[in-house]
Amino acid sequence: MSKPSASPRTEVRRKPQRAHHDTATIHAIIDQALVCQIAFNQGGSVHCLPTACWREGEYLYIHGANNSRLTQTLLEEECAVSITHLDGLVLARSAFHHSMNYRSVVIYGRFTAEDDPDAKAAAFKAFVEHVSPGRSSLVRPPSRAELAGTRLLRLALDEAVAKIRNWGVEDSEEDMAIPVWAGVQPLALTASPLQPEPGCGERMPPAPPAFIGRA
């Protein structure tokens, strides 16, 4: 397991003490993500689009239509991918010292295509398992035509950095006597009750991923 390389783009200049470059931390943050934001330049303008994502090994994977603007541009140009988990609101005694607890990753590079049908099938199975562990054995796998009509892209995690804040209030000494509640309001992603499709089977779906709590 290689460690992402340090580069001018992965140097955290604002609050550098919050930066993490180790592979384990970066992987853990990516593995709790269902969506990433991809920034790229196309047609003389800057774009930032959300898309589903998952990780296998040292790569971040996404998918899209063969003729989509996003997939075609990402094969031709470099991009920046960001993932953020909001873990809490930090409520201080002063307005200035309010903050948020979070875990984030930024990845730089250029996507490459995975065109081998067997590799694509395995990757899409991993995607279904990421979204709903155990579900891939219950549903029909993609047909060859469906695989051929879908582009699978992967981005090496060679140039990536994490940034984390996970502590409490940092009030100034002169504000400590202000008689207002201060602390952290934790936040978490939760799954609401299921909404079954008419005519579906009675067998309940597997539990959501471990990083999604139940309401």
Side-chain angles (χ1 to χ4, degrees), residues 193-213:
L194 295 169
Q195 300 177 2
E197 182 73 12
C200 71
E202 296 183 358
R203 183 175 179 180
M204 299 292 284
F211 57 87
I212 299 180

Side-chain angles (χ1 to χ4, degrees), residues 20-104:
H20 298 263
H21 292 89
D22 62 287
T23 299
T25 299
I26 291 170
H27 283 188
I29 294 172
I30 295 173
D31 289 347
Q32 290 197 11
L34 296 171
V35 173
C36 65
Q37 308 284 338
I38 305 179
F40 59 98
N41 194 308
Q42 191 269 341
S45 181
V46 176
H47 306 272
C48 185
L49 299 180
T51 190
C53 66
W54 70 103
R55 181 188 67 86
E56 285 190 84
E58 298 301 311
Y59 293 92
L60 177 82
Y61 283 82
I62 66 167
H63 73 291
N66 281 334
N67 60 351
S68 77
R69 175 185 66 179
L70 177 63
T71 56
Q72 187 58 41
T73 302
L74 294 180
L75 292 172
E76 299 171 351
E77 304 290 343
E78 289 208 335
C79 67
V81 179
S82 66
I83 291 170
T84 302
H85 306 296
L86 184 59
D87 296 323
L89 303 177
V90 182
L91 308 177
R93 295 169 179 83
S94 69
F96 182 80
H97 287 107
H98 280 61
S99 188
M100 296 182 185
N101 281 343
Y102 62 89
R103 291 160 293 135
S104 65

Side-chain angles (χ1 to χ4, degrees), residues 170-189:
E170 296 180 332
D171 269 319
S172 300
E173 185 64 31
E174 59 268 25
D175 293 328
M176 297 302 291
I178 297 175
V180 64
W181 189 91
V184 176
Q185 171 64 68
L187 301 174
L189 183 65

Side-chain angles (χ1 to χ4, degrees), residues 99-153:
S99 188
M100 296 182 185
N101 281 343
Y102 62 89
R103 291 160 293 135
S104 65
V105 163
V106 176
I107 311 160
Y108 297 93
R110 182 182 297 185
F111 279 88
T112 59
E114 176 57 78
D115 296 322
D116 178 74
D118 293 333
K120 290 175 70 174
F124 287 131
K125 179 179 179 180
F127 177 38
V128 174
E129 286 298 301
H130 177 59
V131 173
S132 180
R135 189 166 179 82
S136 64
S137 63
L138 305 177
V139 299
R140 176 182 66 80
S143 66
R144 287 286 172 173
E146 289 169 335
L147 289 175
T150 306
R151 214 69 199 265
L152 177 65
L153 305 186

